[in-house]
Amino acid sequence: MKIEETKLTAEVASSRELNKYLDTGWILILSYVKHLNDTQQPRFVVAWQNGGQAVFPEMLDEWELHEIDRQKYR
């Protein structure tokens, strides 16, 4: 599909999130690495190009995942 057919974009921060978006019909249009202090974090930009309303996968956001990890190791 052409980039001009993109109706909506979203940025995701993990391959787990990326796979959920791809499973619901989004396509990957860009990947890059975000540099923050001495760390590198992958980023993926996905595009909704299908007709109709965009379908967003259900998932926990970064804060919720961090809280789960924090509670897990208490």
Side-chain angles (χ1 to χ4, degrees):
M1 293 191 154
K2 296 179 180 179
I3 194 76
E4 292 84 9
E5 296 175 11
T6 299
K7 296 169 179 62
L8 186 64
T9 61
E11 182 178 349
V12 296
S14 72
S15 57
R16 180 187 65 82
E17 288 177 293
L18 173 61
N19 287 330
K20 287 184 176 272
Y21 271 89
L22 296 177
D23 287 344
T24 57
W26 295 71
I27 63 166
L28 177 65
I29 59 171
L30 176 69
S31 63
Y32 66 95
V33 176
K34 179 180 177 182
H35 297 276
L36 183 63
N37 297 329
D38 289 338
T39 64
Q40 297 179 356
Q41 301 170 340
R43 292 290 190 240
F44 306 97
V45 179
V46 292
W48 181 259
Q49 294 184 339
N50 297 331
Q53 188 109 1
V55 177
F56 291 92
E58 287 195 34
M59 67 180 75
L60 302 175
D61 64 22
E62 285 185 54
W63 181 86
E64 291 167 321
L65 291 171
H66 175 73
E67 286 298 306
I68 289 170
D69 283 342
R70 193 171 68 83
Q71 296 294 327
K72 186 179 356 177
Y73 298 112
R74 280 187 132 185

